[in-house]
């Protein structure tokens, strides 16, 4: 898989894309992630990419030209399954969406910034808008990092058996059961007896029942 992220503040993406599971997936060659600095497509000494919005609203808007050039530079080189724009207007990211995106070969993620981007780019070049929740972020970079993380960990080989995505919350539509590690007794707080029983069948039954009970109690709308 290849993910090209277009951003006006590429430094914001530096850390999340260079640690832990994403870092390992990149090193293993499972995913190639490129961050494109939108300012490279800006005009003049200041590499300007934004301008005042028509209509008198306060706030700067990212101009068509740098966005058009950045996106078409990429789309002229290969086919993209999705040209994503991160926006609170978009479909809310959930596990089924992450699963679908993880089967793509090439993805562009355009990060919004300032007031947003010129709407004509959304109409003509963007094929999918994704929100990571019903709140407004200062820019799309954190959303792009969240989407990338949710997708990359699902690429076969990105996770080891230990961290298998199959036991994640939401993967079977349920929250994950509680987990524990040693010691079995910490200041009198005890690990559930069944987990110490060594009986895989009983343990699995307990985990399934806990997953169901926790989902009913905490996130009933998932059922
Ligand atoms: N940009 C600003 N807010 C956002 C959100 N909630 N999701 C995705 N991108 C955003």
């Amino acid at each position: 898989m290849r993910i090209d992220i277009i951003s006006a503040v590429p430094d914001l993406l530096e850390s999340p894309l260079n640690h832990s599971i994403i870092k390992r997936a990149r090193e293993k060659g499972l995913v190639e992630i490129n961050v494109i600095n939108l300012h490279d497509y800006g005009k003049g000494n200041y590499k300007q990419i934004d301008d005042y919005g028509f209509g008198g609203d306060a706030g700067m808007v990212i101009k068509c030209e740098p966005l058009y050039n950045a996106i078409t530079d990429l789309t002229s080189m290969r086919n993209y399954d999705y040209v994503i724009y991160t926006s609170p207007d978009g479909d809310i990211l959930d596990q089924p969406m992450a699963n679908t995106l993880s089967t793509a070969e090439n993805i562009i993620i355009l990060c919004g910034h300032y007031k947003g981007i010129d709407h004509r780019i959304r109409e003509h070049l963007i094929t999918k808008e994704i929100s990571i929740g019903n709140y407004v972020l200062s820019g799309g970079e954190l959303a792009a990092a969240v989407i990338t993380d949710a997708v990359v960990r699902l690429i076969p080989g990105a996770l080891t058996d230990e961290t298998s995505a199959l036991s994640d919350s939401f993967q079977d539509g349920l929250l994950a059961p509680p987990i524990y590690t040693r010691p079995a007794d910490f200041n009198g707080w005890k690990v559930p007896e069944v987990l110490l029983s060594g009986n895989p069948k009983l343990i699995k039954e307990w985990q399934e029942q806990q997953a169901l009970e926790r989902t009913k109690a905490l996130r009933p709308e998932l059922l």
Side-chain angles (χ1 to χ4, degrees), residues 86-88 130-140 143:
T86 56
S87 157
I130 299 181
S131 165
I132 62 161
N134 290 328
Y135 41 82
V136 178
L137 301 166
S138 310

Side-chain angles (χ1 to χ4, degrees), residues 2-7 32-38 41 65-84 106-111 125-126:
R2 178 187 171 112
I3 304 178
D4 290 298
I5 304 178
I6 304 171
S7 164
E32 182 181 339
I33 302 177
N34 301 292
V35 179
I36 294 118
N37 187 345
L38 192 58
Y41 291 88
E65 193 182 358
L67 292 168
Y68 180 88
N69 289 338
I71 293 172
T72 55
D73 257 8
L74 294 168
T75 54
S76 67
M77 283 188 277
R78 64 192 70 79
N79 288 326
Y80 284 87
D81 304 272
Y82 301 97
V83 183
I84 294 168
N106 300 311
I107 296 177
I108 292 175
I109 306 179
L110 170 63
C111 304
L125 295 181
I126 298 299

Side-chain angles (χ1 to χ4, degrees), residues 33-190:
I33 302 177
N34 301 292
V35 179
I36 294 118
N37 187 345
L38 192 58
H39 289 277
D40 291 346
Y41 291 88
K43 277 268 168 70
N45 287 345
Y46 295 104
K47 296 283 179 196
Q48 191 183 350
I49 55 167
D50 58 344
D51 208 336
Y52 294 100
F54 283 126
D57 276 352
M60 303 298 274
V61 177
I62 304 187
K63 294 157 69 68
C64 277
E65 193 182 358
L67 292 168
Y68 180 88
N69 289 338
I71 293 172
T72 55
D73 257 8
L74 294 168
T75 54
S76 67
M77 283 188 277
R78 64 192 70 79
N79 288 326
Y80 284 87
D81 304 272
Y82 301 97
V83 183
I84 294 168
Y85 175 53
T86 56
S87 157
D89 306 357
D91 296 331
I92 305 259
L93 179 68
D94 59 8
Q95 195 60 48
M97 191 195 290
N99 291 347
T100 304
L101 294 175
S102 75
T103 64
E105 215 164 297
N106 300 311
I107 296 177
I108 292 175
I109 306 179
L110 170 63
C111 304
H113 222 70
Y114 310 111
K115 259 313 223 198
I117 64 171
D118 190 299
H119 199 72
R120 289 166 288 186
I121 295 296
R122 294 168 72 172
E123 285 175 330
H124 294 286
L125 295 181
I126 298 299
T127 62
K128 186 168 185 63
E129 301 204 358
I130 299 181
S131 165
I132 62 161
N134 290 328
Y135 41 82
V136 178
L137 301 166
S138 310
E141 283 74 15
L142 296 179
V146 167
I147 296 164
T148 303
D149 188 288
V151 167
V152 168
R153 65 199 304 287
L154 295 172
I155 300 173
L159 299 181
T160 59
D161 275 355
E162 264 171 62
T163 51
S164 161
L166 293 177
S167 57
D168 284 348
S169 276
F170 299 118
Q171 200 51 270
D172 54 5
L174 299 176
L175 301 185
I179 55 171
Y180 302 87
T181 186
R182 284 180 285 187
D185 182 338
F186 176 75
N187 289 348
W189 300 342
K190 295 205 168 66

